[in-house]
Amino acid sequence: TRRASTMVTLTLCFLLILVPISAEFASSWISSFPDDNSLTRRGLAEYVKWQEHLSMWSRISAIASTGFSESPLSWQVEFHLAAALGCFGLSWAGFERFTRERHSTGLVSRIFVRSKVNRRRLHVGRAWGMALTWKDFNFVAGGTRVLIGKFVLYFLIIGGIFWMITYEDPRADYFKILGGAAMYAMIVAAVIELGLIAARVFRQEVKANTLPLLMMLPKSATQIARDKMACALPALMPAATYFALGALLDLDDFQSVFKDLVTSWAGWYWVTWFVIFVLATAYASLVAKWGAFPLTVLLFVFCQMVLFTVFTALSWSAFGGSGPREEVMMSFMLFVSVPIIPLLIRLIPKRLNKLAAR
C-alpha cells in the first residue's frame, strides 16, 4: 500500500542517510573537544562507535580496504539477519491481529487474535482509582500479560548482550559488564516504550471515535491527558527493575553517570530533550494520522543537528578558533530548549479539545 511504501522509504532514509550523517557530525563534534571528558562527549563517542560497528557503509569500506580478507559473517551481518528474522516473525504472528482479518480459522488466528483478546477481557481485573490509567495500561500498554512478556524479553536481551561481550573477552569483570549491559539496554528500552505509548495513548481514542465522550468527563483536558499518560508508569516496571539490578551490580559506573547527569549542563540538556521527545510524540499522534513515533524520531535527530550546527557556528564566530567551553554552549542550548516543554503541555490539551469538538 501507499502507507507501507512511504514508511519503508522513510525508514531507509533514516537508517541509510540521517544516521550516518548524524554520526559524522558527532565525530566532528568529538574532534572539536579532544581533551573534554564530559557526559555528552562520551555518549557521542559511544554512538559513533555503535554506528561504525553496524553501518553498511562502514562494512563496505572495510571490505574494500582489506581485499575481502575478513570473515563475511561479521557482527553487522549477524545482527541484521537476526533483526530481519525477528521482524518477519512478529509481522507474521501479528498480521491477523492488526489487519482485523477475523474470517481466518488458522492457527495464527486462534492463538494471536481470539484467544488473546478473550483472555485479556477476562483477566484485566477491577478498575483502579485512576480509571483512565487502568484502561490505558490494559488496552494500550498491553496489561499484565505483556508486562510479564517484557520481563522475559528483557532478560533474554540482557543475557544476549552479556554473552556477546564476554565471548570476545572471557577475562572481563562479569558483574560490571552485566550491570552496564542491563542499565544501558533498559534506558533504550524505556525510551522506545515511552515513545510507543505516547504515540498510541491519544490516537486510540481518535480512531475509536471515543474522544468526545472522554472529554465529557468532569475533569480538565490537562487532567485527562495526565491520567492517560500515567499508564506508562506501571508499563515501565520491567525496565525499571532490570535497570535497578544493573545499577546494584555496577554501582561505580552508575554513580559516575548519575553525577555527570545532574551536575552538568549537558546532562540536564538531554533530560530536557527526553521530556520534549515524549511530549512531542503525544502531540504528533494528535496531528498525524499515522507514524507519530518515527516522525518524532526524525524531527528529534533533525533538531539536534540544527541546534549543534547553529550553536557551534555561533560559538566559533564569537570566540574565535579556540572556541568556548562546552558548558557555555550547552547552557545556551538548554536555555533555548526548556520553553518547549510548557509549550507542548499547553498545546496537547488544546488539540484534544479541538478534536473532540469536531
Side-chain angles (χ1 to χ4, degrees):
T1 62
R2 180 179 300 179
R3 179 181 299 181
S5 61
T6 304
M7 286 299 300
V8 170
T9 303
L10 291 176
T11 303
L12 290 176
C13 291
F14 175 73
L15 294 176
L16 299 180
I17 299 176
L18 286 181
V19 171
I21 292 176
S22 64
E24 290 294 329
F25 180 79
S27 179
S28 63
W29 167 269
I30 294 171
S31 61
S32 301
F33 300 95
D35 299 327
D36 185 51
N37 193 32
S38 64
L39 178 64
T40 300
R41 189 179 186 279
R42 283 183 288 165
L44 291 176
E46 290 296 326
Y47 171 69
V48 171
K49 185 186 299 183
W50 171 83
Q51 197 276 334
E52 290 179 351
H53 202 51
L54 298 178
S55 172
M56 177 186 71
W57 309 114
S58 299
R59 295 305 305 169
I60 292 176
S61 177
I63 292 173
S65 62
T66 56
F68 301 94
S69 60
E70 295 184 357
S71 173
L73 297 178
S74 64
W75 158 248
Q76 183 255 352
V77 174
E78 295 174 355
F79 177 81
H80 286 187
L81 181 60
L85 292 175
C87 291
F88 176 79
L90 288 175
S91 62
W92 175 81
F95 179 80
E96 297 287 347
R97 169 68 178 87
F98 293 106
T99 56
R100 301 182 183 275
E101 295 288 343
R102 301 301 181 93
H103 59 272
S104 175
T105 58
L107 178 62
V108 175
S109 178
R110 293 198 302 269
I111 294 177
F112 292 98
V113 181
R114 297 172 185 171
S115 61
K116 181 178 179 180
V117 173
N118 292 334
R119 286 198 301 267
R120 181 181 295 176
R121 289 175 179 171
L122 291 175
H123 297 286
V124 294
R126 291 180 176 271
W128 304 338
M130 299 176 64
L132 291 178
T133 304
W134 168 84
K135 179 181 76 70
D136 287 335
F137 169 70
N138 285 284
F139 299 103
V140 174
T144 306
R145 194 172 298 275
V146 173
L147 201 70
I148 297 173
K150 286 191 291 188
F151 270 108
V152 177
L153 176 63
Y154 292 163
F155 178 82
L156 296 176
I157 291 175
I158 295 171
I161 296 174
F162 174 76
W163 176 81
M164 287 187 293
I165 296 176
T166 55
Y167 179 79
E168 297 179 357
D169 188 8
R171 295 174 295 179
D173 187 347
Y174 286 175
F175 288 104
K176 187 177 181 64
I177 291 176
L178 183 60
M183 287 191 291
Y184 291 112
M186 291 305 99
I187 290 175
V188 175
V191 171
I192 295 175
E193 277 195 65
L194 284 173
L196 294 175
I197 291 174
R200 295 188 60 197
V201 69
F202 298 122
R203 175 48 52 181
Q204 293 296 323
E205 303 287 352
V206 176
K207 290 175 62 177
N209 295 321
T210 56
L211 188 59
L213 297 175
L214 179 68
M215 301 306 293
M216 292 175 63
L217 293 174
K219 293 183 177 182
S220 65
T222 303
Q223 290 175 323
I224 292 175
R226 180 198 62 195
D227 290 348
K228 290 180 69 64
M229 289 296 295
C231 72
L233 296 178
L236 289 176
M237 284 179 58
T241 301
Y242 285 121
F243 180 86
L245 293 175
L248 292 176
L249 291 175
D250 191 7
L251 194 57
D252 293 337
D253 193 16
F254 170 74
Q255 291 176 343
S256 175
V257 173
F258 183 77
K259 181 180 178 181
D260 291 341
L261 187 66
V262 300
T263 59
S264 66
W265 290 107
W268 285 109
Y269 173 80
W270 291 115
V271 170
T272 300
W273 269 96
F274 170 72
V275 178
I276 293 173
F277 172 75
V278 175
L279 294 175
T281 305
Y283 182 73
S285 68
L286 297 173
V287 177
K289 291 185 178 180
W290 55 271
F293 180 66
L295 176 63
T296 309
V297 171
L298 292 174
L299 290 176
F300 180 86
V301 174
F302 177 75
C303 289
Q304 297 308 309
M305 293 173 62
V306 170
L307 281 174
F308 275 91
T309 301
V310 170
F311 277 90
T312 301
L314 290 176
S315 64
W316 278 89
S317 63
F319 294 91
S322 59
R325 291 178 58 86
E326 183 191 2
E327 291 80 2
V328 177
M329 193 169 70
M330 296 302 296
S331 63
F332 279 107
M333 293 173 64
L334 179 63
F335 178 77
V336 173
S337 304
V338 167
I340 302 177
I341 295 178
L343 177 63
L344 289 172
I345 292 176
R346 186 175 179 84
L347 288 176
I348 290 174
K350 283 189 174 183
R351 184 64 181 175
L352 287 173
N353 287 323
K354 184 176 180 179
L355 292 176
R358 289 183 176 178

